[in-house]
């Protein structure tokens, strides 16, 4: 049991030091990279900034990983969050670009306009209003 705990702590620390692969160093925005599955990064510097990666293998081990899927066909979106019994809860919505760096995402009755700070094939960084 102690070996398993030690291994988990070691892997978590190793990931925290490494960070996500291909994180954008600047404000690069490649709009065509948005469609796909994005996994929320556990390291969050503030409540206003959301960071995602498309590379699930760069994430530390966990029971559940929050994610959002932006579909290219019809601009549909699906957000998966933990449900009351830890099973994924899917919320369906939509998305659309307003400008090259403003994205509108709608789930249920809520609609948010998000500033895209960085976007490439492996990294997405959003700022909430």
């Amino acid at each position: 049991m102690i070996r398993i705990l030690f291994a988990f702590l070691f892997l978590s620390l190793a990931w925290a030091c490494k960070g996500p692969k291909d994180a954008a160093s600047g404000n690069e925005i490649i709009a065509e990279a948005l469609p796909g599955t994005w996994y929320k990064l556990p390291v969050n510097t503030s409540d206003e900034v959301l960071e995602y990666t498309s590379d699930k293998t760069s994430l530390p081990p966990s029971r559940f990983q929050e994610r959002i899927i932006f579909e290219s066909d019809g601009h549909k979106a699906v957000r998966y969050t933990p449900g009351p019994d830890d099973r994924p809860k899917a919320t369906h919505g939509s998305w659309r670009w307003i400008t090259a760096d403003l994205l509108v995402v709608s789930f249920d009755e809520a609609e948010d306009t998000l500033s895209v700070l960085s976007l490439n094939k492996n990294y997405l960084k959003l700022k909430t209003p």
Side-chain angles (χ1 to χ4, degrees):
M1 179 67 175
I2 291 176
R3 286 183 182 182
I4 293 171
L5 180 60
F6 179 74
F8 178 77
L9 290 174
F10 178 75
L11 289 172
S12 297
L13 180 61
W15 181 87
C17 293
K18 177 177 71 167
K21 291 181 184 176
D22 295 331
S25 58
N27 292 341
E28 173 187 40
I29 299 174
I30 303 171
E32 298 81 27
L34 184 65
T37 303
W38 294 94
Y39 299 92
K40 188 173 181 185
L41 292 171
V43 179
N44 196 359
T45 55
S46 82
D47 291 335
E48 295 177 354
V49 176
L50 303 170
E51 295 180 75
Y52 294 86
T53 182
S54 62
D55 181 14
K56 188 176 182 177
T57 62
S58 67
L59 296 172
S62 67
R63 285 180 29 191
F64 176 79
Q65 190 65 50
E66 285 189 48
R67 63 190 178 276
I68 187 168
I69 300 171
F70 293 102
E71 297 177 11
S72 58
D73 184 27
H75 295 281
K76 296 176 186 175
V78 182
R79 179 177 56 197
Y80 291 93
T81 55
D85 58 358
D86 282 345
R87 286 188 284 181
K89 176 186 171 195
T91 306
H92 297 271
S94 63
W95 65 275
R96 70 181 188 283
W97 289 104
I98 294 179
T99 64
D101 64 345
L102 286 177
L103 180 67
V104 174
V105 181
S106 303
F107 290 104
D108 294 330
E109 303 294 319
E111 181 174 278
D112 289 322
T113 301
L114 306 170
S115 296
V116 179
L117 303 177
S118 183
L119 170 61
N120 64 36
K121 67 178 184 169
N122 290 324
Y123 182 73
L124 171 62
K125 186 174 185 179
L126 304 169
K127 184 171 192 248
T128 61

